[in-house]
Amino acid sequence: MQRESPALVVRPGLLAAGFTDEELKRWRAQGRLVTVRPGVYVRATDTGPDHPAARHGLAIRAAVQQLAPGAVMSHVSAAVLHGLPLWAAPLDRVHVTRNRRSGGRRSRYLHLHAAALEPDEVVLVAGIAVTSVARTIADLARFLPFEPAVVPADAALHRGLVTRAALADAVERSSNRRGNTAARRVVAFADGRSESPGESRSRVALQRAGLPAPVLQYVIRSADGTAIARVDFGWPKLRTVGEFDGLVKYGRLLQPGQVPAEVVVEEKRREDAIRDEDLRVRRWGWDDLDHFEPVAGRLRLAFDAS
């Protein structure tokens, strides 16, 4: 069951109820109130969100109560509201964009961007003004390094929230903006066939290692055309397939009444069936993505054996 977001408590409301700033200060020191941003708190008795994106969502709700009209949630904050996955993206500040030429600034809790916003680049999510998915991905592609920007771009395409043409248009609408060269790289590389952040990061790692581009979601078939398995990455001419093993992946494979050990056994049988088709299987996980050269070496050996 999804945990409900804690109720926000705002200073003006507490003062209107007869409490004093001295009491609020004491409650914060005692841990009875937890500051989300100045003047906005949650009660310590409330169960707070336990995921960075959920905590950022709470910060967004707090910011909305204090921002003047015209502020549009953008960048990582828009990604959180659209439900897009983020990896290695800073969530310490709420990001908003105002439709003006200048006046951008950063504070401890807020990153204000000043940039042109077209009417079709703003949508409502749960009553909050947010940049559209296409504009959000374009902004992230300008703002984040390549790999962290690819993760939400792949997810947006995979979920059918945006098209590649819409992403390209979102970038080219402001063709002279800083970071557009990097944004074009992200859009050109993004691929909706990637089904998870781990697969997106794997594609980046494979490219950086100088390995051939794989076929994504490659379907392995027997001689009579029967589908045997679908793998994350395939190099059919090199008789090699690759699988990213994320723990969440095995959780998705669990059927009602199954235990993890049964899934592992089934996965072993699946891999045996793949090997029976004269295919070499190479696997890697989250830890390998930060130091990918050993995996790249094993893949090169597999390619050389073809």
Side-chain angles (χ1 to χ4, degrees):
M1 179 181 296
Q2 187 173 4
R3 182 180 296 170
E4 290 187 6
S5 187
L8 296 174
V9 182
V10 296
R11 176 177 173 273
L14 292 170
L15 296 179
F19 300 104
T20 66
D21 278 326
E22 188 62 33
E23 287 176 301
L24 302 188
K25 181 178 179 180
R26 184 169 65 252
W27 291 345
R28 293 198 303 273
Q30 294 170 345
R32 294 171 61 186
L33 283 181
V34 178
T35 301
V36 178
R37 60 182 288 117
V40 184
Y41 319 100
V42 291
R43 295 181 178 87
T45 52
D46 287 341
T47 302
D50 57 2
H51 188 276
R55 290 195 294 271
H56 191 76
L58 190 61
I60 291 171
R61 288 174 51 209
V64 166
Q65 300 197 30
Q66 296 181 326
L67 290 169
V72 179
M73 294 295 154
S74 63
H75 296 76
V76 293
S77 300
V80 167
L81 290 171
H82 285 302
L84 294 171
L86 294 169
W87 172 80
L91 292 173
D92 54 331
R93 296 181 178 91
V94 171
H95 287 248
V96 301
T97 295
R98 289 192 178 277
N99 188 9
R100 60 194 191 196
R101 291 178 176 271
S102 61
R105 58 182 174 81
R106 285 190 297 177
S107 64
R108 179 179 176 185
Y109 296 97
L110 185 74
H111 189 150
L112 172 62
H113 303 263
L117 280 172
E118 299 297 330
D120 65 342
E121 293 179 315
V122 181
V123 298
L124 288 178
V125 176
I128 300 173
V130 186
T131 51
S132 66
V133 172
R135 174 60 185 262
T136 298
I137 296 302
D139 284 340
L140 291 175
R142 298 182 186 107
F143 177 72
L144 295 174
F146 182 74
E147 186 174 357
V150 166
V151 168
D154 279 0
L157 289 170
H158 176 68
R159 298 176 187 180
L161 300 177
V162 72
T163 64
R164 186 181 300 279
L167 290 182
D169 177 67
V171 172
E172 296 308 323
R173 283 187 178 196
S174 303
S175 58
N176 295 323
R177 286 190 61 183
R178 180 179 179 182
N180 262 18
T181 299
R184 293 186 187 102
R185 275 190 69 213
V186 171
V187 171
F189 187 79
D191 196 314
R193 292 174 295 174
S194 285
E195 296 183 339
S196 70
E199 291 180 26
S200 298
R201 291 190 60 204
S202 295
R203 292 199 306 114
V204 175
L206 291 166
Q207 183 196 62
R208 287 176 174 168
L211 296 171
V215 177
L216 303 184
Q217 310 309 327
Y218 175 57
V219 178
I220 300 165
R221 299 185 182 276
S222 62
D224 64 2
T226 302
I228 294 173
R230 180 169 65 93
V231 295
D232 300 331
F233 307 98
W235 293 269
K237 293 182 179 180
L238 298 171
R239 307 308 299 163
T240 303
V241 300
E243 290 272 74
F244 171 76
D245 291 332
L247 294 177
V248 174
K249 181 177 186 175
Y250 290 101
R252 287 202 306 264
L253 295 174
L254 277 174
Q255 300 298 319
Q258 270 191 321
V259 296
E262 292 175 308
V263 174
V264 172
V265 170
E266 287 186 9
E267 182 61 19
K268 179 64 169 62
R269 290 173 180 162
R270 172 178 173 273
E271 185 168 319
D272 287 343
I274 294 172
R275 294 184 189 277
D276 287 343
E277 296 301 313
D278 191 31
L279 289 166
R280 289 169 288 279
V281 181
R282 297 295 181 266
R283 294 180 175 275
W284 58 89
W286 283 109
D287 291 343
D288 298 307
L289 293 176
D290 293 325
H291 307 283
F292 198 71
E293 188 51 42
V295 175
R298 293 195 294 272
L299 284 168
R300 292 187 188 101
L301 289 175
F303 296 161
D304 291 342
S306 61

